[in-house]
Amino acid sequence: MRTYEALVIFPAQSAGEALERAKSLFEEAVKKHGGSVTNRTDMGRRSLGYSIKKVKEGTVVVFDIQLPPLEATELAKTLRL
């Protein structure tokens, strides 16, 4: 198992229950690939350096995860879909 850090930017429009659901979906994806989330740091709403799909703000969350090296690429593919 290796330790990875994933910085995830959620749309700023996501708030409350929708944001918590999105965070739990990410954690479920990690668990599906045989990993575990060791730490989650909410960094709050941040202004982005440049627009992503015409959105200038997002909620930033940093996940520390432990995952087998071979599953890391599979997790990346899952998240891109």
Side-chain angles (χ1 to χ4, degrees):
M1 293 277 240
R2 282 191 164 171
T3 302
Y4 297 93
E5 183 177 80
L7 185 134
V8 182
I9 301 171
F10 297 101
Q13 296 83 7
S14 299
E17 196 171 303
L19 181 60
E20 288 303 316
R21 177 73 181 136
K23 291 175 191 177
S24 67
L25 284 174
F26 178 82
E27 291 177 2
E28 288 173 18
V30 170
K31 290 176 185 174
K32 178 183 168 193
H33 289 284
S36 63
V37 176
T38 57
N39 189 24
R40 181 173 84 179
T41 306
D42 294 331
M43 297 183 71
R45 288 180 74 158
R46 301 286 174 140
S47 178
L48 303 176
Y50 55 90
S51 298
I52 299 175
K53 295 185 179 181
K54 298 183 182 181
V55 176
K56 296 183 182 196
E57 277 191 342
T59 302
V60 179
V61 181
V62 179
F63 294 92
D64 293 328
I65 58 177
Q66 287 193 341
L67 195 65
L70 296 176
E71 291 295 323
T73 56
E74 294 300 318
L75 175 63
K77 287 180 187 176
T78 301
L79 294 176
R80 285 189 185 114
L81 292 177

